[in-house]
Amino acid sequence: MRIGIVCYPTFGGSGVLATELGKALAQKGHMVHFITYQQPVRLNGFLPNVFYHEVQVATYPLFDYPPYETALASTLVDVIKNNHLDLLHVHYAIPHASAAYMAKQILKEEGKEIPVITTLHGTDITLVGRDKTYAPVVAFSINHSDAITAVSQNLRDETFKIFHIGKEIEVIYNFVDVERFQRKPIDAFRKVIAPKGERILMHASNFRKVKRVQDVVQIFHQVSKEIPSKLLFVGDGPERSTAEDLARELGVFDEIRFVGKQEQMEDILAIADLFLLTSDYESFGLAALEAMAAGVPVVSTNAGGLGEINVDGVTGHLGNVGDVDMMSKMALAILKDDKTLKGFKERAAEHAKKFDIHHIIPLYEKLYERFL
Ligand code: GMT
């Protein structure tokens, strides 16, 4: 098949998922065309069946806001026509679903039908999408997609609650390449972070408000009082300084390393003992799944779809949003001795296999085939 993929090219989960999906499809022999404003971060190296088309947004002094959506729709028309694409798969509704709708209508006038599949990822529905400045366009373009998928049951249900959607939303869970995450820890790296063999806790995100990174610091503070430990913060974003300030206030700043945005998550996760995800909401929590695939148990909130991947008492624990005391106790219960920790690590790795890339890619292929 010749497939067009539109996504955000950044470190966000939806972009990561879309890029890994495209790469996996290309490996299976499909021709995959990424259409984004910048090379997706996980699209590194040369891959024979992968093509990249950059969306150029022409500016003009009149534009306070360069019209990206228009530029994207025009690029889609061009790429679909010139590369004879069979279908378009857009990730994250805003503004990708509406740009795809526009491209579809333009092509229809020229006699070409292009099926559009929209995958909803989370904040495009629950946070930004429901805002009245976007909601009518989001609902319209979702409803006019040929197929809609959501990355968890929770997101599917939330979408039906928030919008009037007139067609079925299929759940296709996010996936992880389990083999890639089964790395041996690099001893030298572990020693730099935890020279005295301390436990290593980790959080990775875009440090947006929804992630409640201050709760991560609070939990770490309580854990480190009982068990010698270190905290690795991966990623960056608007709430980083809040986390830093709180860490200084609580006197744990020196035990924390902020390593910034990283591509080699598998190497970093390999040295971690526990992953913390304290979000207000996660449709899925891809970062937690990647941690589990690397054999790292997860203490998370029970918000959104997190309970669909993190199994309480098996792969980690789930607490209420903001209940840092409870989540600290949960973390301590996992980290208290080597035997308990080993059990959680093994079960986390085992459970992640249910979401292995090899199970999920065929579901997307089956969906695509319906439109050919
Ligand atoms: O979490 C974010 O702020 C980024 C966002 C994105 O669109 O990249 O993540 C969403 O999509 C991911 C991939 O499907 C999910 O794993 C995340 O749970 C979801 N984030 C939220 O729902 C907050």
Side-chain angles (χ1 to χ4, degrees):
M1 281 179 253
R2 289 175 296 257
I3 302 155
I5 292 185
V6 181
C7 64
Y8 279 102
T10 53
F11 281 92
S14 61
V16 166
L17 197 281
T19 311
E20 297 296 350
L21 170 63
K23 280 159 52 176
L25 289 165
Q27 256 174 11
K28 292 186 87 174
H30 302 289
M31 297 293 156
V32 179
H33 294 255
F34 285 92
I35 305 125
T36 64
Y37 58 82
Q38 171 183 295
Q39 179 102 359
V41 283
R42 288 236 182 141
L43 195 63
N44 37 23
F46 173 76
L47 297 159
N49 295 341
V50 171
F51 303 84
Y52 167 62
H53 309 268
E54 190 165 301
V55 180
Q56 307 279 348
V57 189
T59 53
Y60 186 67
L62 187 67
F63 299 157
D64 276 342
Y65 304 98
Y68 175 67
E69 194 174 333
T70 307
L72 174 60
S74 298
T75 311
L76 289 176
V77 170
D78 183 68
V79 173
I80 291 164
K81 273 203 304 203
N82 289 318
N83 298 280
H84 311 287
L85 298 193
D86 296 312
L87 60 89
L88 200 56
H89 188 173
V90 304
H91 292 259
Y92 206 92
I94 311 166
H96 303 150
S98 44
Y101 172 77
M102 175 66 99
K104 187 181 167 81
Q105 296 312 312
I106 295 169
L107 289 165
K108 199 181 238 168
E109 297 229 321
E110 297 179 16
K112 171 148 178 89
E113 271 299 330
I114 181 88
V116 172
I117 292 161
T118 300
T119 291
L120 311 174
H121 278 274
T123 47
D124 47 349
I125 299 300
T126 58
L127 208 68
V128 206
R130 71 191 308 170
D131 190 291
K132 72 174 186 184
T133 51
Y134 297 115
V137 175
V138 172
F140 176 88
S141 47
I142 292 176
N143 269 316
H144 283 80
S145 300
D146 294 282
I148 316 159
T149 75
V151 299
S152 67
Q153 189 64 38
N154 172 273
L155 182 59
R156 174 193 174 275
D157 298 346
E158 287 298 313
T159 309
F160 279 123
K161 269 189 233 159
I162 295 168
F163 298 114
H164 292 292
I165 302 295
K167 49 175 69 155
E168 190 42 73
I169 301 177
E170 297 164 53
V171 175
I172 300 185
Y173 280 117
N174 281 338
F175 58 82
V176 64
D177 183 351
V178 168
E179 204 186 313
R180 176 180 151 198
F181 282 86
Q182 284 172 349
R183 284 287 179 93
K184 286 224 149 52
I186 302 169
D187 281 343
F189 180 33
R190 204 179 202 291
K191 281 219 170 77
V192 170
I193 302 297
K196 295 185 185 139
E198 295 94 334
R199 299 281 197 223
I200 300 177
L201 286 74
M202 187 177 148
H203 169 82
S205 76
N206 51 21
F207 287 62
R208 300 246 161 83
K209 264 211 156 37
V210 69
K211 306 291 173 183
R212 297 184 65 98
V213 283
Q214 72 280 16
D215 289 2
V216 174
V217 178
Q218 297 268 17
I219 294 168
F220 176 68
H221 175 232
Q222 295 203 31
V223 169
S224 62
K225 277 198 268 184
E226 308 278 327
I227 295 175
S229 38
K230 300 280 181 184
L231 174 62
L232 264 182
F233 263 125
V234 183
D236 215 329
E239 293 298 305
R240 174 173 167 169
S241 58
T242 314
E244 287 187 10
D245 290 347
L246 183 61
R248 280 192 200 95
E249 207 179 288
L250 296 174
V252 290
F253 188 76
D254 292 342
E255 314 310 321
I256 301 179
R257 282 288 274 264
F258 289 85
V259 296
K261 294 177 183 172
Q262 297 287 331
E263 279 176 47
Q264 299 306 109
M265 283 304 287
E266 57 274 33
D267 289 334
I268 303 174
L269 283 165
I271 67 159
D273 295 306
L274 184 68
F275 191 84
L276 298 173
L277 195 57
T278 52
S279 311
D280 255 338
Y281 180 80
E282 286 295 337
S283 65
F284 183 89
L286 186 60
L289 177 62
E290 291 190 339
M292 283 161 53
V296 183
V298 174
V299 167
S300 70
T301 56
N302 49 19
L306 282 169
E308 292 175 58
I309 54 158
N310 186 17
V311 186
D312 203 15
V314 178
T315 60
H317 287 297
L318 296 111
N320 293 330
V321 174
D323 193 345
V324 288
D325 292 341
M326 175 57 88
M327 285 186 277
S328 305
K329 283 189 192 121
M330 290 169 162
L332 284 165
I334 293 172
L335 296 170
K336 64 181 178 196
D337 62 68
D338 289 347
K339 191 166 166 258
T340 308
L341 178 58
K342 190 165 173 275
F344 272 100
K345 284 188 170 189
E346 284 169 0
R347 290 191 300 270
E350 192 53 38
H351 187 66
K353 289 182 189 160
K354 289 195 177 158
F355 300 89
D356 186 53
I357 191 165
H358 301 296
H359 300 316
I360 308 291
I361 300 299
L363 303 180
Y364 278 115
E365 285 177 300
K366 233 190 211 160
L367 174 67
Y368 298 161
E369 275 158 18
R370 292 210 317 249
F371 295 98
L372 296 184

